[in-house]
Amino acid sequence: MNDFEWRRQLRELRQPHAPRRDLWAEIERSLDNTPIADATTTPASRTAWLFAAGLAAVTVLAIGLMRLSPAMAPPSADLATVPVWKPDDPRLAGAAVELTAAQYELRQAIQQSPNSTALQRLLDRTEQQESRLRQLGHDAS
Amino acid sequence: MPTACLATGYSMTPASTAAAPDTEDARAAAGGDRAAFQRLYRRHADRIHGAVLRLAGYDHARAEDLTQDAFVRAWQKLAEFRHESAFGTWLYRLAVNVALMDIRSRHADPVGFVDHESLPEHGDTPFCAAERDELERVIAKLPPRARAVLVLHDIEGWKHEDISRELDMAVGTSKAQLHRARALLRKLLGETA
């Protein structure tokens, strides 16, 4: 038998086979203990973690930039009054601390280098992330 | 080769069943509608069971368990189905994964082919005279992973790249497995390769 006939024989096996018994009753029983996974919460919580990871990266970058900048002056009074966001969700709390610290340090750095567009961009991005994270926290609750 | 041995037709495609009712039923089932899910089961059970049965080496009891498991998992994952492909295609892929996971969980030897010495000598019956049942019986004798490669490639029409990904093996290994599986199958059928 040549290869063509051989493969044709094999492809012929690709046919539906009815189970010997109706499996539906057992499947339905199993469904009682099997909730449908909620696709709406999983990506949201994943997004929250991605935000947190992104914030950590921004913080590290900001600290790195600040170390490259000239010696800093002591923080001014208005820096000490950066509003602190304290979400109830423990998953967001860590990110909130990072955000507040990042904003505080970025503003310090901007005071030292007011013409730095990179620092300003980082601050803008950090504020945007805080805003989106607040929205996520609001949606989750 | 006698005419009786020729194929009688090959028309089954992964998503050959009606797509529109599937889409509606899949959406309803994702919302918890069991009647809709039952309709999906009725439309797809035979095709899914067929694929699982071949991968399970025509072990009917195991294939039924795996088919059942596949539908339960489908129910569980329905909310993740994005309707980017036909429901039938998604379900087929999920069921094949369930069957392959079963093979992996049984620690099937990746290269554990049947000992050639233990195979029967070539019989007098030519391959073309073998009935479909005989071919299935012989495929069932192949080691699980070799059978999986043969079934996925030669019967289900998968590419080696997809097979290697699903079975966690190199593409070259998949090709080698297929070559050996075919040789073994021919030998089991009593035909010289």
Side-chain angles (χ1 to χ4, degrees):
Chain A
M1 176 183 296
N2 63 35
D3 269 0
F4 176 78
E5 289 162 349
W6 164 264
R7 293 190 185 190
R8 192 167 173 175
Q9 286 271 3
L10 284 171
R11 281 200 307 270
E12 271 297 291
L13 296 180
R14 192 183 176 192
Q15 298 291 336
H17 278 261
R20 293 174 305 179
R21 58 194 166 85
D22 188 355
L23 304 176
W24 176 250
E26 287 172 58
I27 290 171
E28 191 169 32
R29 265 197 299 278
S30 300
L31 301 188
D32 291 334
N33 305 317
T34 311
I36 297 175
D38 187 352
T40 56
T41 55
T42 307
S45 62
R46 196 179 301 144
T47 308
W49 285 113
L50 284 175
F51 267 120
L55 288 174
V58 167
T59 306
V60 168
L61 185 59
I63 290 169
L65 281 171
M66 283 186 297
R67 285 186 180 165
L68 290 174
S69 66
M72 293 179 191
S76 60
D78 62 321
L79 282 174
T81 58
V82 171
V84 178
W85 174 43
K86 290 182 179 174
D88 294 331
D89 189 333
R91 292 173 303 175
L92 299 180
V97 169
E98 294 278 352
L99 273 170
T100 306
Q103 286 180 58
Y104 181 83
E105 289 172 359
L106 281 167
R107 283 177 182 160
Q108 264 192 325
I110 288 169
Q111 278 195 340
Q112 297 296 316
S113 308
N115 298 324
S116 170
T117 52
L119 287 172
Q120 190 57 53
R121 216 170 28 240
L122 276 172
L123 180 60
D124 292 344
R125 197 182 304 165
T126 307
E127 287 171 347
Q128 285 168 11
Q129 284 177 326
E130 182 183 309
S131 169
R132 292 166 71 181
L133 207 56
R134 279 176 189 262
Q135 185 60 43
L136 268 175
H138 181 263
D139 292 346
S141 64
Chain B
M1 182 178 182
T3 315
C5 295
L6 290 173
T8 53
Y10 177 69
S11 59
M12 200 173 84
T13 56
S16 59
T17 45
D22 276 359
T23 303
E24 289 169 19
D25 283 339
R27 288 188 200 284
D33 184 341
R34 287 196 188 184
F37 191 62
Q38 186 179 10
R39 286 194 293 275
L40 290 169
Y41 167 79
R42 298 282 174 222
R43 277 200 291 275
H44 294 278
D46 292 3
R47 189 169 60 83
I48 293 304
H49 184 67
V52 169
L53 183 66
R54 289 186 283 278
L55 287 167
Y58 298 93
D59 178 338
H60 287 267
R62 186 146 65 94
E64 283 161 5
D65 286 348
L66 291 171
T67 299
Q68 197 175 314
D69 194 18
F71 274 95
V72 173
R73 288 192 195 197
W75 169 262
Q76 202 171 11
K77 289 175 172 286
L78 265 171
E80 294 173 23
F81 175 50
R82 298 286 173 219
H83 300 271
E84 288 162 355
S85 61
F87 174 79
T89 306
W90 177 79
L91 180 65
Y92 165 83
R93 195 77 187 209
L94 187 148
V96 167
N97 277 335
V98 167
L100 294 180
M101 275 171 57
D102 181 65
I103 290 172
R104 285 195 290 263
S105 71
R106 286 163 191 263
H107 304 294
D109 181 352
V111 289
F113 283 86
V114 169
D115 179 6
H116 284 233
E117 298 302 314
S118 69
L119 297 179
E121 291 302 312
H122 296 166
D124 295 326
T125 310
F127 178 79
C128 67
E131 297 289 338
R132 175 198 174 96
D133 287 351
E134 172 68 0
L135 187 52
E136 291 179 349
R137 189 183 64 77
V138 173
I139 289 173
K141 286 184 178 176
L142 293 174
R145 286 174 74 104
R147 183 176 60 239
V149 173
L150 183 101
V151 166
L152 290 176
H153 189 276
D154 281 357
I155 302 178
E156 305 294 328
W158 285 35
K159 292 178 180 168
H160 281 294
E161 287 74 15
D162 296 326
I163 297 170
S164 62
R165 199 177 309 119
E166 293 297 338
L167 284 171
D168 195 23
M169 61 171 65
V171 170
T173 307
S174 175
K175 289 179 181 175
Q177 288 262 28
L178 178 64
H179 178 75
R180 296 175 71 187
R182 284 176 179 167
L184 188 58
L185 196 61
R186 285 175 185 268
K187 187 170 184 180
L188 283 164
L189 286 164
E191 181 186 82
T192 49

